[in-house]
Amino acid sequence: MATAGSKNRPLSPHLQIWRWGPHMFVSIMHRVSGHGLVVGLALLLWWLGALASGPEAYALLAKCMTSPIGYIVLVGISWAFFNHMMSGLRHFVLDIGAGFELKGNRTWSLVTSVLGVVLTVAFWAILLLR
């Protein structure tokens, strides 16, 4: 069963055959940011539980989230949201049949990554400069 047909060859291409490109990076980051959103969901549930539990529980949550590590977690979750959203929009365009040309796919992959970071920075700039 290790061979396919009569020739001794692998069943599918291996990583050394593929040339890495931005579309592969965006695909991996889409998965990473999806897992980051699960962390965000856990934080949302903690926030809702703290709201329901009373002032002491909410004060503990506020103390944790306003610490330097808390801000890093919040920035990471917001990046995960914006990156996942931009990548999802890119996949939506691909699903309707557009953007498969190599140059366009490469360009939109780079734009997706940059927009995720730009939107995160803009979001935090609006929050912190109010």
Side-chain angles (χ1 to χ4, degrees):
M1 281 291 169
T3 60
S6 61
K7 296 181 180 181
N8 188 8
R9 60 190 175 122
L11 295 175
S12 62
H14 293 287
L15 290 177
Q16 64 265 25
I17 294 173
W18 300 103
R19 245 180 65 194
W20 281 90
H23 58 286
M24 292 179 170
F25 175 75
V26 169
S27 178
I28 292 168
M29 286 297 107
H30 186 72
R31 289 174 176 88
V32 169
S33 62
H35 291 299
L37 292 176
V38 172
V39 173
L41 177 62
L43 186 62
L44 175 67
L45 292 175
W46 183 20
W47 177 68
L48 289 172
L51 280 175
S53 297
E56 298 85 18
Y58 192 79
L60 175 64
L61 171 78
K63 182 180 176 186
C64 290
M65 288 298 108
T66 55
S67 71
I69 293 174
Y71 279 119
I72 291 170
V73 168
L74 290 174
V75 168
I77 290 170
S78 60
W79 169 83
F81 172 76
F82 288 118
N83 185 69
H84 204 74
M85 180 177 65
M86 291 295 105
S87 181
L89 290 173
R90 177 180 169 269
H91 281 284
F92 177 71
V93 170
L94 291 172
D95 286 344
I96 62 173
F100 281 107
E101 301 80 22
L102 292 178
K103 186 176 180 182
N105 194 349
R106 180 182 187 88
T107 301
W108 284 109
S109 295
L110 293 170
V111 168
T112 297
S113 298
V114 170
L115 275 178
V117 173
V118 167
L119 288 173
T120 302
V121 169
F123 174 75
W124 281 96
I126 290 169
L127 281 181
L128 295 175
L129 296 176
R130 285 185 350 150

